[in-house]
Amino acid sequence: MGTPRQKQWTWIVFGVFLTSCLPLTIRADEGAIQKDAVAKSTFGETVKMPVNYHRSMLVVVSEQGVAGVRFLDAFERGNKTGNGVVGVSYEWRFQGREADAKEQTGRGRVFAKLKNGEVQKGTFDVQCGPMSLTWSYRQQKSGVVAFDPRNMSVHSLADNYFTERKGDPLHKPVDLRRFLQAEANSNGSQMGAPVYYEDCAVVVKHPSGLAIFEFGEPFEVETDKEFPHYGIPFHSRFLSPGKPTREHNGEVYEERFLQGGFIKSQLNLEAGPLQMEWSQGDQSLGWIYYAPEQTPVWIVEKGSLETLIAVLSTPHKSEETKPAPILEKAP
């Protein structure tokens, strides 16, 4: 219960924390807040993305290259009364865009000092090679990252895509370059992305437009009482330039025998010409599957949805002659 189906020899286990974040858009250096300095990743319009430390990794794409970030070892010190230190460690992989670029790796830590439950100071930059995200504290096992969507793109994957998995020779870490190249060189293999339903929106870039999915209240489907199964209603929109918005209301669900076989199921999220496979997790989360070269996916807070749609729908200044940094066509 709570794990997605096996996809191409790999078990995917992941999820994303979902809820609003504290409104931190300040940069902190050497543990001290600088209220008059705005973080690089929050200059201009920002998008906020929830992250669960123990189940997901992030893929960050920018002009400089692509990075994978995995959070580890969340900690709290003396915080029973809301007057302590909270934070999380992380590790990163970075790959430059140059053909001969070598992958770099590193580690870091972010933290916040609380007073009466409010953030007073801390270190908030998640540095991954030459790129950085702005982190904010929510609770011990989860947080939120913020980024400027015109200069950076952030996607979610299962945390076990970050590195090799002992005892599983068929599992391989994600090739970060998959997020730099569109359809050419793609083998079409899908990877899983975790999504919490509450206050969460999924945005998918399709060749003919943008698909947006928002979720309702989960429902339980009839199955073995020992292993409850849940479905979820959804509302989708498909936005195409110069065409009316196409909207759709539907639901996805699955029922299984204890041996893993299906009794009945409806597994496709639909929006316009796009169909995206879903599988259940539990009452609060599920998984979607995608190939980043073909249909990149963003999972963001609903409060950031319209900002992201506007950015993805508006050409960059140089887009007539140069692809946007989010996704480039391979030669």
Side-chain angles (χ1 to χ4, degrees), residues 25-29 32-35 37-42 122 124-125 127 132 134:
T25 57
I26 49 182
R27 184 184 182 94
D29 295 300
I33 260 183
Q34 298 180 10
K35 296 184 179 181
V38 180
K40 290 181 181 178
S41 60
T42 58
F124 307 115
D125 279 353
Q127 197 72 37
S132 68
T134 300

Side-chain angles (χ1 to χ4, degrees), residues 174 178-179 181-182 189-191 290-297 327:
V174 61
R178 291 187 65 181
F179 287 82
Q181 298 174 333
S189 62
Q190 293 187 328
M191 296 181 289
Y290 71 102
E293 307 93 329
Q294 300 170 354
T295 51
V297 170
L327 195 65

Side-chain angles (χ1 to χ4, degrees), residues 181-323:
Q181 298 174 333
E183 297 181 18
N185 301 329
S186 169
N187 60 11
S189 62
Q190 293 187 328
M191 296 181 289
V195 54
Y196 268 77
Y197 300 132
E198 184 183 357
D199 195 34
C200 180
V202 175
V203 179
V204 186
K205 190 173 183 180
H206 185 269
S208 59
L210 292 177
I212 299 99
F213 297 97
E214 299 179 69
F215 302 96
E217 293 294 325
F219 57 86
E220 188 170 343
V221 295
E222 295 180 3
T223 187
D224 189 282
K225 293 182 180 179
E226 187 177 354
F227 297 95
H229 286 261
Y230 300 97
I232 192 79
F234 68 88
H235 175 75
S236 69
R237 291 180 282 158
F238 193 83
L239 311 179
S240 296
K243 296 182 179 180
T245 299
R246 283 179 275 183
E247 300 194 42
H248 174 70
N249 291 310
E251 60 183 32
V252 284
Y253 60 89
E254 63 180 34
E255 297 186 52
R256 301 187 195 184
F257 297 108
L258 293 182
Q259 293 82 2
F262 286 101
I263 303 172
K264 59 181 180 179
S265 61
Q266 169 57 45
L267 303 178
N268 286 329
L269 294 164
E270 300 179 3
L274 174 72
Q275 289 192 343
M276 173 164 286
E277 188 176 353
W278 164 94
S279 69
Q280 73 151 10
D282 56 32
Q283 194 172 10
S284 63
L285 65 92
W287 289 268
I288 55 177
Y289 302 91
Y290 71 102
E293 307 93 329
Q294 300 170 354
T295 51
V297 170
W298 293 256
I299 301 173
V300 299
E301 293 185 345
K302 285 186 179 180
S304 296
L305 177 58
E306 296 307 319
T307 295
L308 181 60
I309 291 173
V311 170
L312 295 178
S313 302
T314 304
H316 288 234
K317 293 180 180 180
S318 58
E319 195 166 76
E320 293 81 2
T321 57
K322 180 181 178 181

Side-chain angles (χ1 to χ4, degrees), residues 148-203:
D148 179 350
R150 287 206 169 274
N151 299 317
M152 185 178 293
S153 183
V154 182
H155 309 272
S156 180
L157 288 178
D159 69 345
N160 62 8
Y161 283 117
F162 185 84
T163 189
E164 294 181 359
R165 191 162 57 191
K166 293 182 179 179
D168 186 355
L170 296 175
H171 173 80
K172 294 183 179 180
V174 61
D175 180 359
L176 295 174
R177 288 187 179 275
R178 291 187 65 181
F179 287 82
L180 296 178
Q181 298 174 333
E183 297 181 18
N185 301 329
S186 169
N187 60 11
S189 62
Q190 293 187 328
M191 296 181 289
V195 54
Y196 268 77
Y197 300 132
E198 184 183 357
D199 195 34
C200 180
V202 175
V203 179

Side-chain angles (χ1 to χ4, degrees), residues 93-111:
R93 301 164 47 196
F94 173 77
Q95 184 75 54
R97 288 180 177 268
E98 302 83 4
D100 59 347
K102 302 295 184 181
E103 184 172 289
Q104 304 171 36
T105 61
R107 290 175 173 265
R109 187 179 69 163
V110 286
F111 70 91

